Amino acid sequence: MLKNTFKWLWLLFFCFAVGTVYAIDTLDEAIERESAYIIDRAPNNSVLAVVNIKSDSISLSDYVMERIPDYVVRNKKNITFVDRSKLDLIQQEIKFQYSGEVSDETMVSIGSKIGAQIIVAGAISEDGETYNFSIKLLDVKTAIILGSSSTKIVHDNAMEYYWPGSKVAEYAKQKELEAQAKRDSTARKVKTALGIFPNGFYLGYLGSLNSPIGISLGWLNTTTAFFIDNEFGAPSFSGHERSSSLTYDGNTVTANNTNKYIDEHENTAFSWDCILGFNINIVESLLWADAGLGFEYRRKYKLFSENNSSSGSEKIWVENGDKKDKLKFAISAGLYLKLWYLYVQAKYKYVVGDEIDHSSYGLNNLSLGLGYVWRQD
């Protein structure tokens, strides 16, 4: 039992150690990690000075040298840091760069002059696809290294800001370009598979219950496009004769004789509507919404029975004589869905002034279409 427990503890320790060794942090996370190491190693009530952070970016070195004292003092009150102004005076005196190469002897000498007990020095360098951030602590009196630590830094936004021209930055940009090219290639393949082209002409059938014959012509684009729809509804006289000498005004039949006509309450009509409008792309080259405005031309007929002594009874279709009902405005709204070279559409048309047939839930005004798209790259 004890042996198995030991094995599990060793495994957990190993996983933790591997995760720690190969951890890759952002710049700020790396600074906090190394600052925590300083807190762990520095004795209580000691005076520290961050003398040097070597790197190829002066602004990066300055940033790290400012952040380390802030973090350490905030998390351990009994550690103090030498004021940065004293370091600036020494810098002018011996003409050394915070980001340059400084020997341990020079750093110990600087620490002695400014009253520090422990010197913190470090370096940030490129290491393949990442950066390596290392620090060490030097005892000013003995010049002995009290400890050292290192952390991997990923190329994040902060590193891009402080060290934009590094090889790691260029490598990261190249990898991002390759990843973007791969994403674009995948997107192109998906679009090609679905037929999602930038634009194209389309032509197809369009019809409804009232107007079963129709044609739709238009242009689909990635932003705004246009269309023209025509639908036809042919009258159905059902084998009965159509009268050309009689008219019907909605109430009575007008004729030059005294024949009597009985309304049989049956009707038919010829209709033609023409609507122009715009398509608005709502899902890239896949789904469009459309809105249009046009007119409908309609000729109505009503079925009557003629009763007279000579011919007996005969059913006759009589044209509606109310001229104002022949031409009306029409509006429409709908959707287009395109896959590959085919498209389907559905739109609702309303003729201004007409009453909606609630018995059919307005389905007589619903038009459906199917057509072909000519790809235009």
Side-chain angles (χ1 to χ4, degrees):
M1 180 67 180
L2 183 61
K3 186 176 181 181
N4 289 335
T5 302
F6 178 77
K7 285 182 178 180
W8 279 109
L9 290 174
W10 172 253
L11 181 61
L12 289 173
F13 172 78
F14 177 77
C15 292
F16 175 78
V18 170
T20 303
V21 170
Y22 290 99
I24 301 179
D25 297 327
T26 64
L27 174 61
D28 288 334
E29 289 172 345
I31 292 173
E32 291 182 2
R33 185 187 294 273
E34 296 308 315
S35 297
Y37 178 80
I38 293 171
I39 292 174
D40 183 61
R41 287 286 178 161
N44 292 332
N45 302 315
S46 56
V47 179
L48 282 69
V50 183
V51 172
N52 185 50
I53 299 294
K54 179 187 175 184
S55 78
D56 289 343
S57 169
I58 295 176
S59 59
L60 176 61
S61 297
D62 287 340
Y63 177 74
V64 175
M65 291 179 68
E66 291 174 358
R67 284 295 310 278
I68 289 176
D70 290 342
Y71 183 88
V72 173
V73 172
R74 190 168 62 248
N75 289 276
K76 193 168 184 179
K77 303 300 183 183
N78 56 6
I79 291 181
T80 58
F81 277 81
V82 175
D83 190 274
R84 178 69 181 268
S85 60
K86 291 185 178 181
L87 281 173
D88 293 338
L89 291 174
I90 295 296
Q91 178 193 28
Q92 296 174 10
E93 180 181 338
I94 65 175
K95 294 183 171 47
F96 82 97
Q97 293 291 331
Y98 295 132
S99 58
E101 187 71 44
V102 182
S103 65
D104 289 355
E105 292 79 6
T106 301
M107 286 189 287
V108 168
S109 174
I110 292 172
S112 178
K113 290 180 179 179
I114 60 178
Q117 298 170 333
I118 297 174
I119 292 297
V120 177
I124 300 177
S125 59
E126 296 171 298
D127 186 12
E129 301 176 16
T130 60
Y131 303 91
N132 186 59
F133 177 29
S134 61
I135 64 165
K136 62 181 177 181
L137 280 67
L138 286 170
D139 187 297
V140 172
K141 288 185 177 181
T142 63
I144 294 175
I145 297 176
L146 300 178
S148 63
S149 175
S150 64
T151 303
K152 295 290 185 183
I153 302 177
V154 71
H155 184 78
D156 61 351
N157 291 334
M159 290 301 295
E160 175 64 32
Y161 176 80
Y162 288 108
W163 200 349
S166 67
K167 293 180 181 179
V168 179
E170 295 302 320
Y171 181 81
K173 289 179 181 178
Q174 182 61 34
K175 296 295 288 184
E176 176 58 29
L177 290 174
E178 291 175 0
Q180 185 61 48
K182 187 175 181 180
R183 289 193 294 269
D184 292 343
S185 176
T186 302
R188 282 195 299 271
K189 290 178 181 178
V190 172
K191 289 180 179 180
T192 300
L194 295 178
I196 301 177
F197 311 128
N199 48 52
F201 288 103
Y202 70 88
L203 176 66
Y205 164 80
L206 180 68
S208 64
L209 294 176
N210 285 337
S211 305
I213 303 172
I215 187 172
S216 183
L217 173 66
W219 168 266
L220 298 176
N221 206 333
T222 54
T223 53
T224 304
F226 65 89
F227 69 88
I228 177 171
D229 291 340
N230 289 273
E231 291 185 72
F232 301 90
S236 176
F237 296 119
S238 302
H240 302 294
E241 183 181 349
R242 186 183 67 163
S243 172
S244 59
S245 62
L246 305 176
T247 59
Y248 172 65
D249 63 5
N251 295 307
T252 60
V253 176
T254 303
N256 295 325
N257 53 46
T258 59
N259 295 336
K260 295 180 180 179
Y261 295 88
I262 301 173
D263 187 356
E264 297 291 339
H265 302 290
E266 294 184 36
N267 57 71
T268 187
F270 166 78
S271 64
W272 167 50
D273 63 74
C274 180
I275 296 179
L276 299 172
F278 289 93
N279 302 306
I280 301 174
N281 191 213
I282 55 178
V283 177
E284 183 185 357
S285 299
L286 180 65
L287 183 65
W288 288 261
D290 76 80
L293 175 66
F295 65 87
E296 182 186 79
Y297 173 75
R298 187 185 305 171
R299 294 175 65 180
K300 299 179 181 178
Y301 299 88
K302 203 162 186 68
L303 185 63
F304 291 88
S305 291
E306 177 187 13
N307 297 304
N308 58 46
S309 57
S310 60
S311 62
S313 178
E314 184 179 359
K315 290 187 176 181
I316 300 175
W317 287 100
V318 178
E319 184 175 356
N320 189 339
D322 192 351
K323 305 296 183 182
K324 68 179 182 179
D325 285 340
K326 286 189 175 181
L327 192 65
K328 291 184 177 181
F329 285 108
I331 57 177
S332 72
L335 293 173
Y336 290 80
L337 176 65
K338 184 173 70 67
L339 292 174
W340 196 235
Y341 287 99
L342 296 178
Y343 76 88
V344 292
Q345 67 179 113
K347 61 176 58 184
Y348 188 85
K349 178 185 65 181
Y350 172 68
V351 179
V352 179
D354 279 5
E355 292 185 5
I356 297 177
D357 184 2
H358 294 287
S359 64
S360 65
Y361 303 100
L363 292 179
N364 289 335
N365 297 84
L366 179 66
S367 298
L368 300 176
L370 176 67
Y372 185 82
V373 180
W374 282 267
R375 174 178 175 177
Q376 299 289 324
D377 287 327

